[in-house]
Amino acid sequence: MAGTDIPDGGEEYVEGYARILHEVSETGRRLTRDELDARRAFGERAAESGLGLRAVVRTYLTATRENWPAGASRAPEEVLAAVGQAVDAVAEGYERAQRMAVRQEEAARREFIDDLLHGRSDLGRLAARAERFGLRFSRAHAVAVAEAPDAFEDGDAVSRTVENSLTARFVDRRILVASKDGRLVCVAPGEHSDILQHFAKQVHAATDEVLVAVGRPHPGAGGVVHSYEEALGALSFAERMDLEGPVLYAADLLVLPVLGRDRQALVDLVRSALGPLTQARGGAAPLVETLRVYFDAGCVSAEAARRLNLSVRALTYRLERIHRLTGSDPADPLRRYTLQTAVIGARMLDWPGTEL
């Protein structure tokens, strides 16, 4: 069709179309199955070549105008019906190719995320793939992980809302948001803590009863795995110890994995420092909770009393009982450290609810 107004490169996608128009104008027939399949194949090829769907449709409209049968024996409506069939088939093939490309991209993205967060792939190959998904391992990255009662999935409403908010606000930043094992994960450059803070804010705005944990920044591909595992560890400690969010930072919880490495030593510490509290009327639980709140309040008696719904005098009485039973004064800086560590250990061991 040299000399036509068809866009450059579009001629191959209307091959045989002029003949179809001529035959339809003479017989009024519909397109055959083979002809429709051929149009779908042309649509797929056009999509794979990068030609836009609007350009493809415009090519067919131009070809229709330039090859409209003169003196056709059939009514124009019959010819236009065939035109509609051809364009529909081409668009169907085009969209099918687009869906396949999206599925392939999603599969590649999912494979990359799984390899990245599990550290299973060769680091050199992983780094080469990372650029495609917006990450550069020459810099440090930090990972935030959100966990909620309802599992997150790629493409669900919450995941899309959070990702769209991040990409709209941080246009020039390299961010990766994806689901993993029912959780929502965000990987961001380590020096931009505001990204992960915004991620946490958007997740909390989009769904209920969610807890977000943030790992520390670490360099390289292995650093992403390290930060991810720190965030998962923080979520695990939150579940075991009833830690309150809405955001937990692994950097603030470094003492917990240290304490958890030697369970027997932790048990000995809790028994030694807090075991005498079991002699109190009502058991150890109320006094252990008093210590926990007192330490969480920065050892400020008025604030601790408010949180416990006690008077300051009642709180002081409890602290004095703890001092008498354990021999350690919670107000003494040196003794306080031992007691506070023991209280953390008790929460990790679920004591006194669980026997040591």
Side-chain angles (χ1 to χ4, degrees), residues 31-54:
L31 272 66
T32 66
R33 177 176 296 180
D34 288 343
E35 288 170 338
L36 291 173
D37 287 343
R39 295 304 114 188
R40 294 186 186 101
F42 285 138
E44 290 183 9
R45 284 166 47 190
E48 292 166 357
S49 71
L51 191 65
L53 181 57
R54 292 175 62 183

Side-chain angles (χ1 to χ4, degrees), residues 277-290:
L277 298 181
T278 57
Q279 301 170 26
R281 182 183 302 173
L287 297 181
V288 172
E289 177 66 6
T290 298

Side-chain angles (χ1 to χ4, degrees), residues 5 25 28 50 78 95 116 131 152 183 278 282 286 295 318 340:
D5 293 329
S25 71
E78 293 179 293
E95 291 169 353
L116 174 66
E131 283 284 344
F152 293 101
R183 305 180 183 93
T278 57
F295 293 136
R318 285 193 182 186
Q340 188 166 8

Side-chain angles (χ1 to χ4, degrees), residues 34 76 85 102 108 110 129 131 135 157 165 176 210 227 242 274 337 347 350:
D34 288 343
Q85 274 190 290
V102 169
R110 170 50 51 196
R129 295 156 63 199
E131 283 284 344
L135 300 183
S165 176
L176 180 63
V210 64
S227 184
D242 292 326
L274 302 178
Y337 175 78
R347 295 180 72 182
D350 192 25

Side-chain angles (χ1 to χ4, degrees), residues 116-327:
L116 174 66
L117 298 181
H118 282 158
R120 295 186 302 219
S121 180
D122 173 78
L123 292 183
R125 181 170 172 267
L126 197 61
R129 295 156 63 199
E131 283 284 344
R132 175 181 174 186
F133 299 101
L135 300 183
R136 289 178 179 169
F137 292 148
S138 57
R139 66 200 310 180
H141 288 83
V143 180
V145 181
E147 187 173 61
D150 295 329
F152 293 101
E153 295 182 4
D154 286 339
D156 65 21
V158 174
S159 301
R160 288 198 310 271
T161 298
V162 173
E163 184 171 14
N164 290 342
S165 176
L166 285 167
T167 53
R169 177 162 180 167
F170 303 102
V171 179
D172 58 339
R173 312 282 178 85
R174 291 173 172 260
I175 307 167
L176 180 63
V177 178
S179 68
K180 177 64 178 170
D181 298 330
R183 305 180 183 93
L184 193 61
V185 177
C186 179
V187 183
E191 69 271 23
H192 297 299
S193 60
D194 55 332
I195 296 177
L196 299 183
Q197 291 170 0
H198 187 71
F199 168 79
K201 180 179 179 180
Q202 293 304 308
V203 172
H204 280 285
T207 189
D208 297 324
E209 298 181 49
V210 64
L211 183 62
V212 179
V214 180
R216 294 177 297 163
H218 298 283
V224 175
V225 180
H226 192 176
S227 184
Y228 173 65
E229 290 177 344
E230 286 183 341
L232 290 183
L235 289 175
S236 177
F237 280 119
E239 181 179 0
R240 290 163 54 189
M241 301 175 62
D242 292 326
L243 299 180
E244 297 181 355
V247 183
L248 299 173
Y249 291 90
D252 298 333
L253 304 175
L254 292 178
V255 69
L256 301 183
V258 173
L259 292 175
R261 285 176 192 150
D262 190 337
R263 188 179 189 281
Q264 189 53 53
L266 192 60
V267 168
D268 290 343
L269 172 64
V270 173
R271 281 176 175 166
S272 174
L274 302 178
L277 298 181
T278 57
Q279 301 170 26
R281 182 183 302 173
L287 297 181
V288 172
E289 177 66 6
T290 298
L291 283 173
R292 183 191 70 78
V293 174
Y294 178 67
F295 293 136
D296 287 349
C299 300
V300 177
S301 297
E303 175 61 19
R306 186 189 64 80
R307 296 184 186 184
L308 288 166
N309 292 319
L310 297 173
S311 67
V312 174
R313 181 176 180 180
L315 174 70
T316 302
Y317 174 71
R318 285 193 182 186
L319 295 177
E320 289 174 351
R321 287 175 65 198
I322 292 169
H323 187 184
R324 287 197 304 271
L325 289 168
T326 64

